[in-house]
Amino acid sequence: MRIKFLNIFIILTFLTLLFGVMNLQILHGRRYLRLSDKNCIRLLPQGGARGDILDRKGKLIVGSRISYDVMVVSKDAVNFDATLLKVASITGIKTSDLIRTFKSNFVSSFSPTLLAGNIGVEKAIALGELKNSFPELLVYPNPVRYYPNGNLASHVTGYLSEIDRWRLTKLEDYGYNTKDIVGFGGVEERYDYYLRQEEGGISFEVDHKGKFMRMLGFKSPRNGRNVQLTIDSEIQKIVEDKLGNRKGCVIIMDPYSGEIVAMSSSPNFNPSYFIKKENSYLRNVFNDSDAPMINRAISGQYPAASIFKIIVAAVALETSKINSGTSFVCTGKTRIGNREFKCWNTHGNQDVISGLANSCDVFFYRTGLLTGAQAIHDYAVKLGLSKPTGIDLPYEEAGFVPDPIWKKISQLKSWFDGDTANLAIGQGDLMTTPIQMTKVMCFFANKGYLVNPYVVKSVDGIDISATHKKNIKIQLKKSTMDIINKGLREVVTLPSGTGNVLDSLTLPVSGKTGTAQVSGKQPHGWFVGYFPSNKPRLVICVFLENGSAGYYSCLVAKQIIQEMSEKGLI
């Protein structure tokens, strides 16, 4: 009996559904089709502005300004070719480019589709006057990125472009969609979630003539949040001017807070060309063998050269392998095993202070052998090498500090004294980044604290600097710190000191030079130091890629410090 009732129930349900389908498709199908043809839903997107990027004093580095987009509702175009020709004649854009833009943005024939973006106000007015003849054309105001300072700090700020597949896969769960404009590199990428605007718009119904029928909904756009940097745009401009066309980078950092006051990498790029989609410029900048898209300050990896001697001196003093009275005689060379290791000069009797001041290789070959490679490796890692500093910018590299275990595992070879000698003068397989060596110099400038560098001070007016600050105290003997800092000062004050060119500044400077040998090319030049020496306020790192000796980095540092001093920025 139950099965019989169940069968009857199923048959009745099926007949009811069948009647419903016949009612919709056959009895009233034409009527619903007519209604469908006469009515459709339109979408008018309305975008907010991306958040501004400001310097530490509130000056605008990257902002937004109103531009205009030309949209077309293709369903309403009587003659689409004529529409294209008209838009081309006013905007000066080729019809082939208009078609390409239209096809890449097309969603449906009744939705406004982009024909041309970022046109000027005069062209927008001219197109707006065509409303009666070409009702399918719409002109919308649209905030676009604006770079009042051109290339300034472009590696810190980054640039904008359409989201790629890799990023979309990672971010679609956070509300990102195809064709979203997102940040690439720098703060634009790292803080994209805060900077990005939320698009709004109006959805409404129109009849078959395109006449407005009723509004279906409205969502207000939301502007992105402003981000304030630690960068001082005035100092940044000085740094970029003095670095000029040289390949390399300059970093200026507060040794107590970790704030990056200036960071420049050269060559750089102009982010406005990414907004304009200037294809020839973009091809050149990505194919340039000098790699202008790489931020050398955090992504470039180089031998630290003689800058590394600071670390070797510190660990040798801390482990009592040497003391302030330990000395070695530099005759311009020394024999280690069956190989002769040369110094860049003949220095005579050298202790740790004069060894640092004169950057004597022989002193550090001998000191390195006394200390041992493993101890040097361990202390270098303790001071932050061989791992990213954690700066709030993407694509930071880790560098590398070799040790005997690594060589045994990776190369199946034993570690020799010659390897230790090379490591002791910052050569061999050692690789560091300029931001790492800046952090090391901060440690000696602030007398014992490792600070994390960062570039964003606040988001939407809320100070977030506390989230970056994780200062770590590393206990050193007072005598070690005093000896190292005395050596760094004599680099500048000693007439034979490798940084003596800086002694003519009215502001006392301490630091260390480095000249990293590069096979088949000019060496890299380093200067990393702090000023004023008696009460350090800032640390400076000047790195010149294939820029010859560290002397030339000192010259750039001198020009920067001198102009900062003259303008009262220190």
Side-chain angles (χ1 to χ4, degrees):
M1 182 64 73
R2 287 184 177 177
I3 294 175
K4 184 178 179 180
F5 277 118
L6 182 60
N7 287 336
I8 292 172
F9 174 77
I10 292 172
I11 292 170
L12 287 174
T13 303
F14 175 78
L15 290 173
T16 301
L17 290 173
L18 182 63
F19 176 78
V21 171
M22 291 176 62
N23 182 53
L24 286 172
Q25 297 293 328
I26 299 175
L27 299 179
H28 299 289
R30 289 180 179 276
R31 175 172 174 268
Y32 288 126
L33 181 61
R34 281 199 306 275
L35 289 174
S36 177
D37 286 341
K38 288 181 178 179
N39 298 280
C40 56
I41 297 172
R42 298 269 174 88
L43 299 171
L44 287 177
Q46 187 177 352
R50 197 169 169 88
D52 293 339
I53 300 177
L54 311 167
D55 85 342
R56 64 189 295 121
K57 296 173 182 171
K59 293 179 181 175
L60 187 69
I61 295 182
V62 181
S64 297
R65 64 181 176 189
I66 295 297
S67 184
Y68 296 89
D69 292 344
V70 186
M71 318 285 279
V72 61
V73 181
S74 56
K75 183 176 180 295
D76 294 343
V78 177
N79 185 336
F80 192 60
D81 290 339
T83 305
L84 291 174
L85 286 172
K86 195 64 181 177
V87 174
S89 68
I90 292 176
T91 62
I93 301 172
K94 295 178 182 177
T95 54
S96 57
D97 291 337
L98 294 174
I99 293 170
R100 190 179 303 114
T101 303
F102 174 80
K103 286 182 176 178
S104 64
N105 290 282
F106 180 79
V107 176
S108 68
S109 61
F110 57 82
S111 296
T113 303
L114 184 70
L115 261 188
N118 196 19
I119 66 169
V121 62
E122 292 179 0
K123 294 172 182 176
I125 292 171
L127 284 165
E129 291 176 350
L130 300 175
K131 188 175 180 180
N132 292 331
S133 306
F134 296 89
E136 68 274 20
L137 288 178
L138 303 166
V139 180
Y140 293 146
N142 182 32
V144 296
R145 257 317 188 218
Y146 167 56
Y147 302 92
N149 304 295
N151 295 24
L152 188 79
S154 58
H155 282 105
V156 175
T157 62
Y159 63 97
L160 297 181
S161 190
E162 190 174 300
I163 193 168
D164 56 15
R165 186 182 297 276
W166 179 75
R167 284 175 174 76
L168 183 60
T169 303
K170 289 176 59 178
L171 298 172
E172 59 187 354
D173 290 341
Y174 298 92
Y176 287 74
N177 297 303
T178 306
K179 297 191 180 303
D180 276 0
I181 300 299
V182 299
F184 283 69
V187 169
E188 291 277 24
E189 177 169 338
R190 181 62 180 267
Y191 290 87
D192 186 80
Y193 179 79
Y194 300 100
L195 286 165
R196 73 191 303 247
Q197 74 283 10
E198 189 174 296
E199 195 171 74
I202 304 169
S203 60
F204 60 92
E205 186 179 351
V206 297
D207 65 12
H208 69 290
K209 293 181 179 178
K211 184 180 178 183
F212 175 83
M213 298 296 290
R214 64 190 177 102
M215 191 169 79
L216 300 176
F218 174 74
K219 180 182 177 184
S220 298
R222 182 186 63 79
N223 290 343
R225 300 169 202 174
N226 293 344
V227 167
Q228 185 170 25
L229 306 181
T230 58
I231 299 289
D232 184 315
S233 56
E234 200 169 353
I235 295 176
Q236 180 75 22
K237 187 170 188 320
I238 293 171
V239 162
E240 296 196 5
D241 286 347
K242 301 309 178 191
L243 185 57
N245 295 324
R246 300 176 184 87
K247 198 161 55 173
C249 67
V250 176
I251 303 167
I252 297 181
M253 178 171 163
D254 184 318
Y256 303 98
S257 67
E259 294 181 2
I260 299 293
V261 177
M263 176 183 283
S264 175
S265 179
S266 174
N268 57 21
F269 60 91
N270 190 329
S272 67
Y273 286 96
F274 291 84
I275 298 298
K276 299 172 189 171
K277 297 183 179 178
E278 295 273 359
N279 291 331
S280 60
Y281 176 86
L282 300 184
R283 273 196 302 273
N284 290 338
V285 83
F286 281 111
N287 294 327
D288 191 331
S289 59
D290 285 339
M293 298 304 294
I294 290 180
N295 183 354
R296 287 171 162 78
I298 64 168
S299 304
Q301 300 183 94
Y302 312 94
S306 294
I307 307 294
F308 194 70
K309 292 171 180 171
I310 306 168
I311 296 174
V312 177
V315 64
L317 290 165
E318 280 297 293
T319 56
S320 300
K321 298 299 182 184
I322 63 168
N323 56 46
S324 59
T326 304
S327 63
F328 301 100
V329 176
C330 172
T331 60
K333 60 187 176 182
T334 188
R335 179 163 290 278
I336 299 173
N338 59 359
R339 185 181 158 197
E340 196 170 71
F341 283 72
K342 294 183 178 178
C343 186
W344 69 277
N345 207 340
T346 301
H347 296 105
N349 198 46
Q350 296 284 290
D351 59 20
V352 63
I353 292 174
S354 57
L356 282 170
N358 295 317
S359 202
C360 177
D361 289 341
V362 167
F363 179 87
F364 282 95
Y365 291 145
R366 290 297 162 193
T367 298
L369 291 173
L370 285 176
T371 308
Q374 197 61 54
I376 295 172
H377 166 275
D378 294 348
Y379 208 78
V381 172
K382 193 174 181 179
L383 290 182
L385 303 192
S386 215
K387 56 192 171 188
T389 64
I391 190 171
D392 51 339
L393 291 173
Y395 311 117
E396 183 186 10
E397 293 291 347
F400 178 66
V401 182
D403 68 351
I405 299 172
W406 161 79
K407 188 173 180 184
K408 192 71 176 176
I409 294 174
S410 65
Q411 301 183 8
L412 301 178
K413 293 179 180 177
S414 298
W415 183 276
F416 298 106
D417 284 348
D419 296 319
T420 302
N422 271 331
L423 178 62
I425 63 165
Q427 293 280 171
D429 294 299
L430 176 74
M431 298 297 281
T432 63
T433 64
I435 190 67
Q436 286 176 330
M437 299 317 296
T438 306
K439 182 174 176 175
V440 168
M441 186 56 74
C442 285
F443 173 78
F444 290 101
N446 67 33
K447 295 184 173 52
Y449 288 92
L450 276 182
V451 296
N452 286 344
Y454 63 94
V455 298
V456 169
K457 187 180 181 67
S458 69
V459 175
D460 217 16
I462 300 172
D463 193 330
I464 64 165
S465 54
T467 63
H468 305 300
K469 290 178 182 174
K470 296 174 183 174
N471 295 356
I472 299 171
K473 175 68 176 176
I474 295 180
Q475 197 66 46
L476 284 188
K477 290 183 284 191
K478 183 177 183 302
S479 58
T480 299
M481 194 62 83
D482 288 346
I483 289 169
I484 298 292
N485 281 298
K486 187 175 181 184
L488 296 177
R489 180 64 182 139
E490 291 200 1
V491 168
V492 175
T493 58
L494 207 66
S496 61
T498 54
N500 184 249
V501 67
L502 289 157
D503 200 32
S504 59
L505 287 168
T506 55
L507 202 67
V509 179
S510 298
K512 186 72 191 77
T513 60
T515 303
Q517 301 303 318
V518 183
S519 179
K521 293 184 178 178
Q522 284 286 310
H524 303 318
W526 288 91
F527 175 75
V528 187
Y530 57 81
F531 54 92
S533 296
N534 53 344
K535 194 174 182 182
R537 291 181 57 192
L538 293 172
V539 164
I540 183 170
C541 170
V542 178
F543 173 79
L544 300 181
E545 188 173 313
N546 305 123
S548 194
Y551 169 80
Y552 297 98
S553 297
C554 287
L555 289 179
V556 174
K558 180 182 178 181
Q559 292 170 358
I560 291 170
I561 295 169
Q562 187 168 329
E563 186 162 342
M564 286 176 65
S565 182
E566 289 170 356
K567 291 187 174 179
L569 296 172
I570 300 174

